[in-house]
């Protein structure tokens, strides 16, 4: 199997970050998964030209490829398209990673190490040794409150359900009926983890320190946060019906 590890990076208006993050991820992967990785950028036709920069990177680095989507339909859809491409490309392990340096590529090694013992590894801000840098009190409260809310409603022992730095075995992606996931934002992250737990997979958290983006603008919105509030109880109900 030539490239079992795929790092999927969704981008929307990340022109200032994309080159740096791809270079940093490539350097780390060359160390921890030499000759066995690909980096897939999933760009939603960013108006700032991120897609063109990504194409240049792909031309210069054989292990980099770009999936261009015509319109921005949300992070969840971008990830689903990226997962499908990685699976077609014979990925054994797929890693989700943001483009804005909030997810430090130095954790790629620890994520892969932990994947030796688990089916799904979560980079977690809310376990011992993890944390968040540069966030104000309000954002910290919303994030922690959201995780606590989801954990309580769903009744699962996971501390960071909304994080987007995760390492997923192919068998999980194949088992959790990706085609029926509709969620866009934080709920997408919660739902992937929740479905993996329901399917009986081993899910583990490793500590990460999350840094706020230093350049570019956030795509997170009140609408996406609200989606998380109302959608989580629906996830729970689905488990109820399954018995
Ligand atoms: N392809 C695609 N990428 C997206 C979309 N929304 C966000 N992204 C990317 O997904 C990653 C996470 O989005 P962010 O805007 O950083 O969201 P966040 O990390 O929750 O918020 P901040 O802390 O404010 O950065 C970044 O790499 C974004 O460029 C989308 O609709 N389509
Ligand atoms: Mg971010």
């Amino acid at each position: 199997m030539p490239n079992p590890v795929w790092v999927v990076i969704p981008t929307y208006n990340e022109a200032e970050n994309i080159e740096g993050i791809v270079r940093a991820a490539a350097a780390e992967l060359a160390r921890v998964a030499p000759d066995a990785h690909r980096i897939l950028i999933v760009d939603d036709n960013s108006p700032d030209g991120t897609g063109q920069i990504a194409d240049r990177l792909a031309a210069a680095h054989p292990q980099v490829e770009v999936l261009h989507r015509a319109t921005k339909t949300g992070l969840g859809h971008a990830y689903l398209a990226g997962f499908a491409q990685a699976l077609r490309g014979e990925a054994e392990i797929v890693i989700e990673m943001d483009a804005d340096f909030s997810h430090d590529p130095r954790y790629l090694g620890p994520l892969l190490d932990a994947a030796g013992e688990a089916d799904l590894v979560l980079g977690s801000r809310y376990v011992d040794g993890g944390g968040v840098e540069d966030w104000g009190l309000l954002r910290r409260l919303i994030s922690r409150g959201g995780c606590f809310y989801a954990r309580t409603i769903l009744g699962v022992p996971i501390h960071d359900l909304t994080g987007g730095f995760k390492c997923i075995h192919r068998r999980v992606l194949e088992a959790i009926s990706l085609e029926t996931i509709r969620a866009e934002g934080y709920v997408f992250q919660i739902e992937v983890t929740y479905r993996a737990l329901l399917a009986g997979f081993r899910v583990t958290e490793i500590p990460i320190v999350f840094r706020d983006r230093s350049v570019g603008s956030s795509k997170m919105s009140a609408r996406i946060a609200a989606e998380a509030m109302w959608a989580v109880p629906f996830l729970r109900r689905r488990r109820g019906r399954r018995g």
Side-chain angles (χ1 to χ4, degrees), residues 50-209:
T50 302
Q52 288 75 51
I53 300 171
D55 281 337
R56 278 209 314 274
L57 290 166
H61 303 274
Q63 78 273 38
V64 177
E65 69 184 69
V66 191
L67 172 59
H68 293 281
R69 298 186 345 122
T71 44
K72 173 171 167 35
T73 57
L75 186 60
H77 295 140
Y79 265 127
L80 291 177
F83 291 165
Q85 184 146 327
L87 292 177
R88 278 194 303 276
E90 298 184 28
E92 275 304 309
I93 288 187
V94 177
I95 298 178
E96 295 182 9
M97 194 170 101
D98 287 358
D100 57 5
F101 283 95
S102 287
H103 298 157
D104 190 325
R106 79 185 148 105
Y107 296 118
L108 288 169
L111 282 169
L112 287 168
D113 285 347
E117 300 291 320
D119 304 299
L120 169 59
V121 185
L122 310 176
S124 180
R125 297 161 290 184
Y126 304 130
V127 294
D128 274 354
V132 173
E133 277 177 9
D134 315 319
W135 270 4
L137 186 61
L138 183 64
R139 181 110 199 223
R140 276 173 201 265
L141 284 174
I142 291 172
S143 174
R144 282 221 87 127
C147 285
F148 181 74
Y149 168 80
R151 172 188 163 98
T152 307
I153 300 243
L154 298 176
V156 295
I158 302 294
H159 299 86
D160 191 349
L161 275 164
T162 58
F165 199 10
K166 44 177 67 161
C167 179
I168 316 167
H169 274 273
R170 177 187 192 92
R171 53 184 174 268
V172 177
L173 294 174
E174 286 176 337
I176 61 172
S177 308
L178 291 169
E179 67 287 352
T180 61
I181 296 186
R182 298 271 172 273
E184 280 184 31
Y186 294 121
V187 185
F188 176 81
Q189 304 298 355
I190 298 170
E191 192 163 7
V192 167
T193 298
Y194 187 53
R195 286 186 182 206
L197 287 164
L198 290 186
F201 287 110
R202 295 162 301 171
V203 179
T204 188
E205 293 179 274
I206 64 157
I208 61 157
V209 175

Side-chain angles (χ1 to χ4, degrees), residues 9-14 17 41-46 50 67 69 71-79 97-103 125 135 139 162 184 186 189 210-221 224:
I9 306 179
T11 55
Y12 190 76
N13 285 348
E14 301 287 0
N17 286 315
I41 301 159
V42 185
D43 185 68
D44 284 4
N45 204 5
S46 298
T50 302
L67 172 59
R69 298 186 345 122
T71 44
K72 173 171 167 35
T73 57
L75 186 60
H77 295 140
Y79 265 127
M97 194 170 101
D98 287 358
D100 57 5
F101 283 95
S102 287
H103 298 157
R125 297 161 290 184
W135 270 4
R139 181 110 199 223
T162 58
E184 280 184 31
Y186 294 121
Q189 304 298 355
F210 178 102
R211 257 184 286 127
D212 202 6
R213 62 163 68 244
S214 54
V215 290
S217 61
S218 173
K219 282 96 222 170
M220 216 23 84
S221 63
I224 288 174

